[in-house]
Amino acid sequence: VKSYEEDRQLRVLLAVDTSASMRAPQSTEAFAKALEFTALVGALTLRGNDQLGLLRFGESVEGYLPPKSGRKRHSLILSQLLSKKTPSLGTDLAGGLHHISTVLRKPSIIFVLSDFMCKPFKAELKTLSARHDVVLVHLQTPFELFERLGLVLFSDAETGQQVLVDT
């Protein structure tokens, strides 16, 4: 009996939330984790000669690099994420997932890196996961993990609205 294992190039897409809630001063650790995750996945794709792409999203799709292989692609993706652009005030994850489903034709592995502070996106996720392997990576800061702090004044990084919350 012969066994055959197909050897093919993987296509990996990183969908990274670059909204204000990810880049706010108290959330910089979450964005730093996204950068670290991107670098690690990039190193793995380089090692396996696989293809790597990037989708940056906030209120809308801010940039898309289709999956390609090579060191230049890895460097370009990291430089795109490190660029100092003004973060958008909202997060439209549903729109980002819809964009991926329209532009990405071949089956791929998609990592969605976000704090998931957005409107529901169940329908778009279901559509995308029918064709691709989708992995949701929830990035949290230690601040978000505290349970009881008493009365705390919170400021929404995306709208600037402040609210007093009894935690």
Side-chain angles (χ1 to χ4, degrees):
V1 175
K2 283 188 177 182
S3 77
Y4 175 75
E5 186 176 324
E6 185 179 5
D7 189 22
R8 62 186 172 111
Q9 245 183 349
L10 291 176
R11 279 176 269 335
V12 178
L13 181 75
L14 296 165
V16 181
D17 180 359
T18 57
S19 66
S21 64
M22 286 283 289
R23 291 184 175 231
Q26 68 274 12
S27 299
T28 51
E29 269 188 59
F31 194 72
K33 288 176 184 178
L35 288 171
E36 185 178 355
F37 188 91
T38 300
L40 290 171
V41 170
L44 290 172
T45 57
L46 277 174
R47 185 176 179 193
N49 198 28
D50 297 321
Q51 297 178 353
L52 182 64
L54 173 71
L55 176 87
R56 291 178 298 120
F57 67 93
E59 282 179 308
S60 62
V61 174
E62 296 172 358
Y64 173 69
L65 296 170
K68 288 187 181 176
S69 58
R71 288 192 186 280
K72 286 185 180 181
R73 177 57 64 163
H74 184 246
S75 298
L76 181 60
I77 286 172
L78 287 175
S79 67
Q80 289 276 322
L81 286 176
L82 289 170
S83 65
K84 299 283 184 186
K85 294 182 181 175
T86 306
S88 59
L89 297 178
T91 305
D92 182 17
L93 181 55
L97 295 178
H98 177 73
H99 182 78
I100 293 170
S101 64
T102 59
V103 297
L104 203 57
R105 299 285 181 216
K106 297 179 180 176
S108 304
I109 301 170
I110 302 167
F111 291 98
V112 180
L113 306 158
S114 179
D115 55 6
F116 298 106
M117 293 186 188
C118 58
K119 295 178 183 170
F121 53 92
K122 185 177 181 180
E124 291 81 3
L125 181 62
K126 186 175 181 180
T127 302
L128 189 63
S129 63
R131 174 174 215 130
H132 308 282
D133 291 330
V134 182
V135 179
L136 302 177
V137 181
H138 188 189
L139 300 173
Q140 289 182 307
T141 62
F143 180 73
E144 293 170 345
L145 302 175
F146 289 125
E147 291 183 21
R148 297 183 182 192
L149 298 174
L151 291 174
V152 179
L153 181 64
F154 286 98
S155 178
D156 186 346
E158 295 181 356
T159 64
Q161 182 181 2
Q162 291 187 337
V163 95
L164 189 63
V165 175
D166 183 3
T167 61

